Amino acid sequence: MQIYGLCFIVEQEIKPIPLQNVAVEANIVDMIAEVTISQVYKNIEEDTIEALYKFPIYEAAAICGFEAEIDGQRKVKGIVKEAKEAAKEYNEAIQKGHGAYLLESESEDVFQCSVGNITSGQTVVIKITYVTELKHDSESEKIRFVLPTNIAPRYGSSEYSSSSNDGKILNPDVVSYSNKADFYLELAVTCRMTSAIQNIESPSHKISTEMNIEGNPKISKITLTEQITYLEKDFILVVKSKDLDQPRAFVEYNPETQTNCIMLTLVPKFSLNTTISELVFVVDRSGSMGVEPMKKAAQALELLLRSLPEDCYFNVVSFGSDYDSLFPKSELYSETTLSEALNLAQTMKSNYRGTKVYNVLEWVFKNSRDDMSTSIFLITDGEVRNVDQIVELVSKHEEEKNDDLRLFSLGIGDSVSHNLVESVARAGKGYAQFVTNDERMDKKVIGMLKNALKPPIKDYNITWTEVNLLDEKELDMTPIEVDKPTISFMSDDNIEPPPPPPSDIFTDIKVQQAPYIIPPIYSGVRFIVYCILEKNIEPWKVITLKATSQDGPMKLDIPLDPVTLQGSKIHRLAARKLIQDLNDKKSFIHKHPKNANKHIPDSLVKEHIVKLAKTFNLASKYTSFIAIDERNNESLFESQIIPQIREVPQLIKSYGRRRMLTGEARQEDYLKSLCSFNGSNGFNNFKQEIEKELSELSEKEIEEILTSCIAIAYLKIVMFDDFKDECEMCYEKAEKAFKKMIGNNEKEKIIIEKAEESIKNWVNNSD
C-alpha cells in the first residue's frame, strides 16, 4: 500500500517528515457533517525546511477552516485571500524567515498545503475543517459519510501551468508516497439526528459504536476498534435514522452576513411509467481497475444486463487507452444479444492500459440513437485528470439532446475519484453511486436502472419567497467593464486579448438558488437545494416544489421548520454550490434567460467566485488560505538558512498505475523508442501519412522532415513542462528548418498536428 505524506528532498534523497499523529473529528447532524482533520508533523532534521503535502477531500465539501499550531504554544488562523495574493504573501514570509502555511486547491477533491520554515525539532499541527452534505445510501432512511484518505494516481497530465494557475504554489503532477508509516489514525464520529438512530455500520472498517449517549437515542459515538494506518483506504460510515428521508425545509440565519439560507431536502418515493430507451454501458477496463474493482464492475454489468426490459436497445463499450463496442450501434435486447453481452461481462479484464474517458464518451454521444431517449451508465474508478474537459463534453451533448440524454455513474473500488464520478453525473443530469470492493451493490445498481428507464421529469420550480427568481425587477442590469491586463516587464507569457466588454449582464439578485438549475429528482435518491436570501428578505412558511412528468404535473408543499438555526454551515454549503455552478458554467449569470446569447467573461466568473469565497471563508479555484507565524529576532536567526525550493519527488508506479516520469526518464524512454521506431505500427502509420502529404519529395527529404517534426512535437509536448528554458532555442531552430523544408503553411500545420498526435499516443502508451 502506498502511503501519502509530507516529504522534502535533500541532495536528491527523499526525507520523510514523520507523521506523529492523525486525528479526525466528525460531527454528523442528519444529512450534514462538519469534519476537522488534525495532522501532527515534526521536523527531525538539523536544518530548517520547507515542505508540502496533499490531501483528499470529498468532492462536495466546502473547506472553511485552516489553522496551524506551532510547538503547542502558538496558533495561527488562516485567512481566505485571492490565490495569487496568498501565494505572494507566503513567499515573502518564507524569505523573511517567518513561519508560513498555505492551503491551495489543486482540483475539486485534492488540496495542497505548503508548510514553510519548519525549524529543527519543531512540531507543527495542521488543522483543516470542512463541511459537507451527505449522500443517501441505497436503502431508505440511511445516509453515507465518506472520509477520503487516498489520493489515487490520475491518468493524464495536469492542465496547470505557471501562466494558468493564478500564481499558486502548486505542483499538480507530483505525488510523493512512502512505503512505511509509524503512525495511526484516531477517529471520533458523533451523530446527532433529529429522530432515533436505528443502526450504524461501516463497510470499510471495523468500528465500535456507543448508542444512546446520556440516554438519548438520537445521539451516538463511533470510533475504530483496530489500529489502522492513516490513508490506508477511504473510511465509510452508513447511519440509519428514523424519518431521515422525510421532506424537510429549514432556515439558517448568519449574523455576519445578516442573511437567511434555506435548505430543502427529501428522498422522494414516486412511481412513473417506463419508456422505451437506449441504454449504453461504458465500462472502465484500464490498468488502474486492477483485480477486485474490475471483478465488481463486471458483476454490476452482468446484473444490469440481466435486468433489462425486452423492448429496450443496448450496447456495451469497453475503454482504457482505446475503446471498442460490443455492437456498432445499440441492438434490440434479445436472447442472442444478451448472450453475447454476458459472455463479454464474464471475460472482462483490466487490460486496456490508460483511462481515456473523454474519447469513449465522445464516441458514445455521436453514435447514440436520435429516435428515443438515451441513458449512459459509466462504470469506473474515475482516476483521470482532465475532468473539466469531460464535464464540458457531457454538458454540451446533454443540452443538445434537450433532456433526451442522461448519464449515470457508478464509482467502483476503495479509492474512487469522487470528482469525476460526481461531476459527469451532475453534468449529465443523472446521479452517482459508489461501491467499495467489499460492498453489496444490488440495490444501488437496480435502483439506478429503474430510474434510467423512467422518462425525465421537467419544468422544475421551487417557490422560496415572494421574490421570483426570474423577475426582472429584482435584477441589476449592469454594464461590466473589462480592463485590459497589465503586461509585466518580467514575463514573456503571451497575453490573450480581452473579449469585448459585455453589456447588460444581470449580475445581482436578491434570491440565490443553489444550484441555480434545479437538479433532477429521482425516486430513492436524496434531493438537496439551497437558497440564500438577501438581507431583510424572509422565506415563506411553506416551500413549494413543482415539476412536470410524462404522466402529469407533480407538486409537494414542505412546511418550513419553525426553529431558525444560527450559524454559517448551511450558508457555506450553499456558497459551495454557487461556486460549483460558476465553475460548471451553469450559474445564474450563465443560464438566466436575460443573459441568453451573451458572452460571459472569465474575469466576471472569477470575480463572483472570489466574492463568495471571501464572504463565506472558503478555499476555491481562485482563493486560498494563508497563515503567517511572525517570529522574533532569535527565531528568525534560527531560520535564516533556508533551503532552496524543493519539489516533492515524482513516483514511477508499477503496472496498472500511472507512471509519473521525470523529463530525463521520458527522454531516455524516447531515445529507446527512436531506435525501434520502424518497428512501431503507430510510427509507420504516421510515416505513411507524411509520405502521402509530401509525395512529390524524395525519400531522403521526407526522412529529414519526419525527424524535424517529431523533434518539434517531442520538445513541445514532453520537454517544455520542465525544461522549456533549456529547449526553447533548439525548438525555434528546428521549427525554422522545418518551415524552410515544407514551404507551405497549410501542410506545415497538418504535419505538425499529426506529429503531436503521434507523440501524445507514445506518451500515453508509455504510462
Side-chain angles (χ1 to χ4, degrees):
M1 185 65 206
Q2 305 295 337
I3 307 302
Y4 193 86
L6 176 63
C7 298
F8 66 98
I9 304 175
V10 175
E11 297 176 353
Q12 305 304 313
E13 183 182 356
I14 302 174
K15 299 275 189 176
I17 299 177
L19 196 51
Q20 306 289 311
N21 182 55
V22 176
V24 176
E25 183 179 338
N27 288 288
I28 297 174
V29 180
D30 290 340
M31 66 293 301
I32 295 176
E34 182 178 62
V35 183
T36 298
I37 302 173
S38 301
Q39 299 183 352
V40 183
Y41 293 97
K42 185 173 182 178
N43 178 11
I44 58 173
E45 302 300 314
E46 295 180 358
D47 298 320
T48 297
I49 60 170
E50 177 187 3
L52 62 84
Y53 72 96
K54 298 185 184 185
F55 60 95
I57 289 290
Y58 186 61
E59 187 259 357
I63 293 187
C64 55
F66 178 64
E67 179 183 289
E69 182 181 299
I70 303 93
D71 288 331
Q73 299 174 353
R74 302 184 304 282
K75 289 185 179 180
V76 187
K77 285 196 173 183
I79 300 170
V80 173
K81 296 192 176 182
E82 199 163 335
K84 190 174 184 179
E85 180 186 356
K88 182 173 179 287
E89 288 188 15
Y90 173 85
N91 285 326
E92 289 175 351
I94 294 299
Q95 291 170 7
K96 292 176 182 177
H98 296 302
Y101 314 95
L102 181 68
L103 179 70
E104 299 175 304
S105 166
E106 176 182 312
S107 64
E108 295 294 319
D109 61 346
V110 177
F111 286 77
Q112 175 175 301
C113 181
S114 301
V115 184
N117 286 343
I118 311 176
T119 57
S120 179
Q122 190 173 65
T123 299
V124 177
V125 181
I126 301 293
K127 291 186 178 181
I128 299 118
T129 300
Y130 65 87
V131 290
T132 183
E133 59 187 42
L134 302 178
K135 289 184 69 69
H136 173 72
D137 205 60
S138 56
E139 295 185 19
S140 61
E141 315 288 5
K142 285 188 176 183
I143 51 93
R144 183 182 181 91
F145 169 72
V146 179
L147 178 68
T149 54
N150 183 274
I151 302 177
R154 310 290 169 87
Y155 184 83
S157 61
S158 169
E159 296 173 8
Y160 273 102
S161 69
S162 59
S163 61
S164 67
N165 69 353
D166 292 288
K168 293 178 184 176
I169 305 174
L170 282 178
N171 203 343
D173 281 326
V174 169
V175 176
S176 178
Y177 292 83
S178 168
N179 288 317
K180 186 180 179 183
D182 297 323
F183 56 87
Y184 295 96
L185 170 66
E186 292 179 13
L187 176 67
V189 181
T190 301
C191 293
R192 291 180 175 87
M193 313 303 278
T194 302
S195 300
I197 298 172
Q198 298 173 321
N199 185 47
I200 297 176
E201 59 188 5
S202 171
S204 61
H205 294 81
K206 293 179 180 179
I207 58 172
S208 173
T209 304
E210 185 181 354
M211 307 286 277
N212 298 313
I213 302 297
E214 297 177 358
N216 191 336
K218 302 175 185 178
I219 304 176
S220 66
K221 291 187 177 179
I222 301 97
T223 55
L224 293 168
T225 58
E226 57 184 348
Q227 284 191 324
I228 63 163
T229 303
Y230 186 53
L231 307 175
E232 180 190 356
K233 60 180 177 179
D234 292 356
F235 173 79
I236 299 169
L237 191 72
V238 179
V239 181
K240 182 178 178 68
S241 176
K242 190 173 182 296
D243 298 329
L244 195 58
D245 293 354
Q246 292 303 306
R248 295 185 61 194
F250 40 90
V251 62
E252 175 189 77
Y253 178 74
N254 186 340
E256 292 185 10
T257 58
Q258 298 182 7
T259 55
N260 287 312
C261 182
I262 310 165
M263 179 180 184
L264 171 64
T265 178
L266 66 143
V267 177
K269 296 178 178 67
F270 57 85
S271 179
L272 295 175
N273 293 318
T274 59
T275 184
I276 297 176
S277 304
E278 175 189 33
L279 299 109
V280 183
F281 305 104
V282 182
V283 185
D284 186 348
R285 296 176 62 182
S286 63
S288 65
M289 289 289 284
V291 177
E292 288 304 318
M294 188 71 257
K295 182 180 177 182
K296 204 78 174 177
Q299 290 172 350
L301 175 61
E302 184 170 349
L303 180 60
L304 287 163
L305 290 169
R306 292 186 183 277
S307 306
L308 292 178
E310 291 183 0
D311 57 353
C312 76
Y313 288 77
F314 81 102
N315 203 350
V316 180
V317 186
S318 302
F319 78 95
S321 293
D322 302 305
Y323 58 85
D324 51 57
S325 61
L326 180 60
F327 310 117
K329 291 275 188 180
S330 292
E331 294 277 353
L332 184 65
Y333 189 69
S334 67
E335 189 174 339
T336 302
T337 55
L338 172 62
S339 177
E340 289 183 62
L342 288 175
N343 182 59
L344 174 63
Q346 291 162 1
T347 56
M348 278 187 167
K349 293 182 180 178
S350 54
N351 56 356
Y352 276 47
R353 303 188 304 281
T355 314
K356 293 188 177 180
V357 180
Y358 185 99
N359 294 357
V360 66
L361 287 182
E362 188 174 41
W363 183 88
V364 170
F365 292 142
K366 288 180 179 177
N367 288 276
S368 64
R369 297 178 68 96
D370 54 13
D371 58 345
M372 61 182 64
S373 63
T374 300
S375 289
I376 299 167
F377 288 75
L378 176 63
I379 305 174
T380 180
D381 60 3
E383 297 179 9
V384 298
R385 284 194 176 274
N386 60 332
V387 176
D388 290 347
Q389 293 177 353
I390 296 167
V391 168
E392 276 190 34
L393 177 73
V394 175
S395 293
K396 173 190 169 188
H397 286 278
E398 187 279 325
E399 289 178 5
E400 285 176 356
K401 291 206 73 170
N402 193 26
D403 291 327
D404 281 334
L405 172 70
R406 290 177 293 177
L407 189 150
F408 301 85
S409 53
L410 183 64
I412 300 282
D414 291 333
S415 56
V416 178
S417 169
H418 287 79
N419 187 20
L420 174 80
V421 178
E422 291 281 7
S423 296
V424 294
R426 186 170 61 248
K429 291 192 175 179
Y431 64 90
Q433 289 279 25
F434 297 87
V435 179
T436 66
N437 292 336
D438 301 323
E439 271 188 293
R440 289 198 59 176
M441 59 182 171
D442 307 38
K443 288 188 177 181
K444 293 180 181 180
V445 170
I446 295 301
M448 193 173 275
L449 178 60
K450 286 179 179 178
N451 281 319
L453 292 169
K454 294 172 183 175
I457 298 170
K458 304 178 182 180
D459 304 326
Y460 293 97
N461 179 263
I462 300 175
T463 305
W464 303 98
T465 182
E466 61 183 8
V467 177
N468 192 315
L469 277 172
L470 302 182
D471 189 348
E472 294 180 36
K473 296 177 182 178
E474 303 302 333
L475 306 172
D476 180 21
M477 197 167 80
T478 308
I480 307 297
E481 295 294 332
V482 178
D483 295 329
K484 291 183 178 180
T486 302
I487 300 172
S488 170
F489 284 104
M490 299 301 294
S491 173
D492 58 0
D493 292 335
N494 291 329
I495 303 296
E496 290 289 330
S503 60
D504 302 336
I505 292 182
F506 294 128
T507 60
D508 185 29
I509 52 172
K510 299 182 183 298
V511 177
Q512 296 188 80
Q513 182 173 281
Y516 175 67
I517 298 174
I518 298 172
I521 296 178
Y522 291 102
S523 183
V525 179
R526 181 163 294 283
F527 173 83
I528 299 179
V529 182
Y530 306 89
C531 188
I532 299 177
L533 306 179
E534 196 176 84
K535 184 179 177 181
N536 298 324
I537 294 182
E538 295 295 325
W540 276 1
K541 300 301 181 185
V542 176
I543 309 301
T544 302
L545 169 64
K546 293 181 180 179
T548 304
S549 74
Q550 181 176 281
D551 298 340
M554 304 178 74
K555 181 182 177 183
L556 181 66
D557 291 328
I558 306 103
L560 188 67
D561 194 304
V563 178
T564 299
L565 306 174
Q566 301 287 320
S568 58
K569 289 185 181 69
I570 296 175
H571 278 78
R572 283 170 171 162
L573 288 171
R576 175 71 183 84
K577 287 288 185 187
L578 292 171
I579 290 172
Q580 193 175 69
D581 266 1
L582 288 160
N583 283 329
D584 291 347
K585 299 179 181 177
K586 297 290 181 69
S587 70
F588 164 81
I589 296 173
H590 294 90
K591 295 299 180 181
H592 191 278
K594 294 296 178 182
N595 287 339
N597 301 317
K598 292 179 183 177
H599 171 73
I600 308 297
D602 291 342
S603 59
L604 180 62
V605 174
K606 178 180 177 180
E607 177 189 326
H608 278 259
I609 291 176
V610 170
K611 183 180 178 181
L612 281 165
K614 285 185 175 181
T615 300
F616 296 104
N617 208 49
L618 302 175
S620 73
K621 181 179 181 179
Y622 298 116
T623 55
S624 305
F625 276 95
I626 176 70
I628 306 295
D629 174 30
E630 295 190 358
R631 296 171 176 166
N632 56 34
N633 291 336
E634 183 179 343
S635 298
L636 285 173
F637 178 76
E638 291 177 8
S639 58
Q640 283 303 303
I641 303 174
I642 304 172
Q644 295 180 357
I645 296 174
R646 299 156 174 161
E647 293 185 351
V648 176
Q650 295 177 336
L651 176 71
I652 299 178
K653 289 283 189 181
S654 60
Y655 175 75
R657 295 288 188 182
R658 169 170 164 74
R659 297 177 65 215
M660 293 179 151
L661 303 176
T662 63
E664 292 173 0
R666 285 189 182 277
Q667 190 173 24
E668 183 182 349
D669 279 3
Y670 177 64
L671 291 173
K672 289 177 182 176
S673 298
L674 281 177
C675 295
S676 59
F677 245 169
N678 288 335
S680 166
N681 290 333
F683 183 76
N684 282 334
N685 292 339
F686 173 57
K687 184 179 179 182
Q688 289 169 8
E689 289 175 355
I690 299 303
E691 289 173 343
K692 185 177 178 181
E693 286 289 339
L694 305 172
S695 56
E696 71 278 7
L697 299 181
S698 67
E699 186 175 346
K700 182 180 179 182
E701 289 173 319
I702 290 175
E703 287 288 347
E704 290 178 355
I705 290 170
L706 200 59
T707 303
S708 296
C709 67
I710 285 290
I712 291 168
Y714 177 76
L715 288 169
K716 180 180 177 182
I717 292 169
V718 178
M719 302 299 290
F720 268 22
D721 281 349
D722 298 313
F723 303 101
K724 185 174 182 180
D725 290 339
E726 294 92 327
C727 300
E728 202 159 22
M729 291 185 71
C730 292
Y731 176 83
E732 290 174 359
K733 192 190 300 182
E735 191 176 41
K736 285 180 182 177
F738 174 73
K739 288 182 176 180
K740 187 176 180 181
M741 285 186 280
I742 301 296
N744 182 302
N745 291 338
E746 187 175 343
K747 285 188 176 182
E748 286 171 15
K749 184 179 178 182
I750 292 171
I751 293 171
I752 287 295
E753 285 177 353
K754 290 183 183 297
E756 289 179 358
E757 183 181 353
S758 177
I759 290 296
K760 286 177 182 176
N761 289 336
W762 169 77
V763 170
N764 290 334
N765 288 333
S766 69
D767 285 350

